[in-house]
Amino acid sequence: MFSSLLIPILGISCGLLAIFGGVVVRPWLRFQERKLEVEADLMRSRATLDAARHERLEQRVAVLERIITDRGMGLADEIERLRDKPLN
């Protein structure tokens, strides 16, 4: 008697589970996938901006290094002269 009820109950349960999966789980998974895509796009755009900012900073540091190495001690003397110069 128990086994004769088990088969219809399992059949109905499997059907309900399939419906639940199609109605609730599948859209939730699609939403999560889309959310990850949007976050990945945001991270890519941030990485692009960071790379551009990094490149600009590297260029500025290179210019500063060139100024320091090209002018050497003369620059230090010039800074000291400007420091000693009275403000008008």
Side-chain angles (χ1 to χ4, degrees):
M1 179 160 151
F2 180 70
S3 64
S4 63
L5 289 177
L6 187 60
I7 294 174
I9 290 173
L10 286 176
I12 291 171
S13 297
C14 288
L16 290 175
L17 187 60
I19 291 170
F20 179 78
V23 172
V24 175
V25 175
R26 187 178 294 164
W28 181 79
L29 288 175
R30 282 191 204 134
F31 171 75
Q32 293 298 322
E33 183 180 358
R34 181 66 182 133
K35 182 176 152 186
L36 289 174
E37 289 172 358
V38 169
E39 288 175 359
D41 288 342
L42 181 62
M43 294 298 249
R44 273 193 289 276
S45 64
R46 283 183 185 168
T48 303
L49 290 174
D50 288 345
R53 188 176 303 124
H54 182 76
E55 179 64 30
R56 284 193 309 271
L57 287 174
E58 282 185 351
Q59 290 173 354
R60 292 179 72 181
V61 167
V63 168
L64 291 172
E65 288 174 343
R66 209 169 33 247
I67 289 170
I68 296 299
T69 56
D70 288 351
R71 296 184 70 188
M73 290 304 293
L75 180 63
D77 294 337
E78 187 176 337
I79 291 171
E80 288 301 319
R81 277 195 306 274
L82 290 172
R83 188 176 290 154
D84 296 336
K85 186 176 182 180
L87 296 174
N88 293 332

